[in-house]
Amino acid sequence: MLFRSTKMNKDQSAPTADQQKMNPTDRAITQKIRKAIHDDKSLSMYASNIKVISQDGKVTLRGPVHTEDEKSSLEAKAVTVAGQGNVTNEITVKQ
């Protein structure tokens, strides 16, 4: 069974989770953002499962969430870790 978020992620042009860089800096960025997401118990399961892809210090967020507030919250967490101008928010609000 193909989940909707998986299908949405496969339909995107770039980057995808399998393109996550394995250098220590990008791994650390992804881990810090993932921890911040995990620690926020107010986020829905959808929001907790978004894709976080780091490539050369740039972060892409992708996946569905339930509300604009969740989308904004996730972006803020990523910006706190990666810095302003280093986050591309491709998160969609599920209707």
Side-chain angles (χ1 to χ4, degrees):
M1 180 172 156
L2 184 64
F3 291 100
R4 183 173 302 184
S5 63
T6 302
K7 184 178 184 309
M8 287 176 59
N9 287 325
K10 286 186 177 188
D11 291 342
Q12 301 296 321
S13 58
T16 58
D18 64 333
Q19 294 170 324
Q20 166 72 46
K21 297 290 185 173
M22 296 310 290
N23 65 59
T25 302
D26 286 328
R27 275 196 325 229
I29 289 170
T30 299
Q31 288 171 345
K32 287 177 185 175
I33 295 170
R34 276 264 149 241
K35 181 172 178 6
I37 292 169
H38 180 266
D39 290 347
D40 187 344
K41 301 303 180 195
S42 70
L43 295 173
S44 70
M45 183 65 91
Y46 274 99
S48 296
N49 287 319
I50 66 153
K51 305 293 185 245
V52 179
I53 304 126
S54 300
Q55 294 181 309
D56 303 318
K58 304 288 185 186
V59 175
T60 301
L61 304 175
R62 183 176 292 140
V65 297
H66 287 296
T67 67
E68 286 291 335
D69 286 342
E70 284 185 327
K71 179 178 178 177
S72 297
S73 176
L74 292 164
E75 181 175 6
K77 290 173 190 344
V79 167
T80 297
V81 174
Q84 190 68 41
N86 291 322
V87 177
T88 301
N89 188 344
E90 296 180 359
I91 296 171
T92 56
V93 177
K94 183 180 175 202
Q95 297 292 325

